[in-house]
């Protein structure tokens, strides 16, 4: 279970008791395992060693600056999609040259920031954006390195909202239009088109489909190089799956098995942009049971974490394994599989937010729990805190990082003062 194990019936993160973390920092709280984050980066590095890629952690999955710092120290660069993410990774000490900047709607200000900070590669999502970038970089008398994000029209069969490589989506430049874009702008001196980028979706659970999309773009790249364009960088994007149920996702090695033979010895520099595959299972969300209620023939376990802390179940009908922190005689055999216990109770695990969509798990068989007990929501290291909101005026939860057997706060719990501060700190006349 990543860095999380049941020891003597109680959940621990790298030997630190989850219950003790809650005693110190309260609930809801996200807890991350530093060792697991590092282990996943090492797994990617080893699997893709033959390509010697730059692993650019996808910041949107888990943007805490302390996590970014840890990942930078583990050798990662970063995939950012906003000025805010760029700000964060620079705060975390990132070398801007090891940062790639994507996003369909970069503002002029963000383009200028990418130039000013010396971002290594900007991934271009439309011809109009490229023209704007050429004008800005040309005006500033600088050269910006860029890649064309190619939309290969390959269906990743992910959730509709996170399938980005089909041509009906807003992402990238249509496969068929890319040669024309290179012919028109490929020799610009202010924006040097030295790369191609592809990201099919999130997650791309079938390595064969991943290879299909990458293969299409590789063929196009070779054709463009044949025409004399100096493409030396290939960013194959992210979307490597994470196991939300034990064993339900390919490993980095499974992806490498199909991708490395395709890509090696091409004379290209490779970039990978994994997010969830590194962070998802390196984090849990701990919540306390507020009360248990029966209604309409259903059993609701109401906890103090909600859709504002983890929106994935509501937004994508995503599965997250949930289990008591103090499981005693009910230590789970795996995350998500059949459990060998008879006395489980089927319930909906819900938050206090005023929406029926506010659930963390539905119709889930878990050990009987009572008010005051703690539940762990697993695989909450990616797209959990990063998508959190203050909906229902709920201050955002704390984040704790466990490293070398020590838990430390890496984001304090927000307060009610934090809720109103931006409304009160307004200049007179503003
Ligand atoms: N690169 C690009 C260009 C991306 O758009 C994304 C994710 C990634 C890399 C990282 O994907 P990953 O390796 O983490 O799958 N909120 C959704 C996921 C949205 C992902 C958007 N882009 C979720 O909770 O599943």
């Amino acid at each position: 279970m990543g860095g999380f194990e049941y020891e003597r019936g109680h959940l621990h993160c790298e030997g630190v008791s989850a219950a003790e973390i809650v005693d110190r920092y309260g609930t809801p709280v996200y807890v991350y395992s530093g060792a697991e984050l590092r282990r996943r980066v090492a797994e990617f590095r080893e699997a893709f060693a033959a390509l010697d890629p730059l692993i650019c952690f996808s910041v949107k999955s888990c943007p805490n600056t302390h996590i970014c710092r840890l990942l930078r120290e583990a050798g990662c660069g970063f995939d950012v999609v906003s000025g805010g993410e760029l700000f964060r990774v620079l705060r975390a000490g990132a070398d801007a040259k090891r940062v790639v900047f994507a996003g369909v709607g970069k503002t002029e200000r963000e383009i200028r920031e990418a130039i000013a900070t010396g971002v290594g590669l900007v991934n271009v999502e439309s011809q109009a954006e490229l023209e704007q970038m050429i004008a800005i970089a040309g005006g500033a008398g600088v050269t910006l390195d860029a890649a064309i994000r190619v939309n290969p029209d390959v269906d990743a069969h992910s959730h509709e909202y996170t399938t980005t490589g089909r041509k009906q989506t807003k992402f990238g430049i249509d496969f068929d239009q890319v040669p024309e874009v290179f012919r028109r702008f490929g020799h610009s001196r202010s924006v040097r088109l030295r790369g191609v980028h592809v990201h099919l979706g999130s997650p791309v659970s079938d390595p064969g489909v991943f290879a299909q999309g990458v293969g299409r773009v590789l063929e196009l790249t070779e054709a463009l190089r044949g025409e004399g364009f100096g493409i030396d960088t290939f960013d194959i994007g992210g979307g490597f799956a994470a196991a939300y149920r034990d064993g339900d996702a390919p490993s980095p090695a499974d992806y490498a098995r199909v991708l490395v033979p395709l890509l090696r010895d091409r004379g290209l520099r490779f970039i990978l942009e994994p997010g969830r595959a590194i962070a998802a299972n390196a984090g849990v969300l701990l919540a306390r049971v507020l009360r248990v209620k029966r209604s309409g023939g259903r059993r609701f376990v109401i906890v103090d974490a909600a859709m504002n802390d983890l929106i994935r179940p509501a937004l994508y009908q995503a599965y997250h394994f949930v289990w008591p922190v103090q499981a005693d005689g009910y230590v789970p055999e795996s995350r998500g599989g059949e459990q060998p216990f008879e006395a489980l109770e089927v319930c909906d695990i819900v938050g206090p937010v005023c929406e029926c969509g506010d659930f963390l798990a539905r119709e889930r068989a878990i050990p009987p729990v009572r008010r005051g007990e703690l539940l762990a929501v697993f695989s909450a290291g990616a797209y959990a805190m990063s998508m959190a909101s203050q909906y229902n005026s709920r201050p955002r939860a704390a984040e704790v990082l466990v490293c070398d057997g020590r838990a430390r706060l890496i984001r304090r719990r927000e307060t009610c003062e934090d809720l109103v501060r931006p409304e009160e700190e307004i200049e007179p006349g503003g």
Side-chain angles (χ1 to χ4, degrees), residues 58 60 79 162 199 202 238-239 273-276 312 316 383 387:
S58 194
K60 62 176 84 63
D79 153 44
T162 59
H199 173 77
S202 200
E273 302 174 342
R276 90 180 65 227
R312 303 191 72 257
Y316 315 114
Y383 305 110
M387 298 178 82

Side-chain angles (χ1 to χ4, degrees), residues 95-142:
D95 172 0
K97 281 272 152 279
R98 292 163 70 83
V99 173
V100 295
F101 195 145
V104 282
K106 296 178 204 74
T107 62
E108 178 173 339
R109 180 178 170 162
E110 286 171 328
I111 295 169
R112 288 191 189 282
E113 283 168 2
I115 292 172
T117 56
V119 159
L121 199 67
V122 179
N123 292 338
V124 180
E125 302 254 4
S126 64
Q127 181 172 317
E129 182 186 51
L130 179 55
E131 288 177 74
Q132 191 184 6
M133 277 168 44
I134 289 173
I136 294 172
V142 295

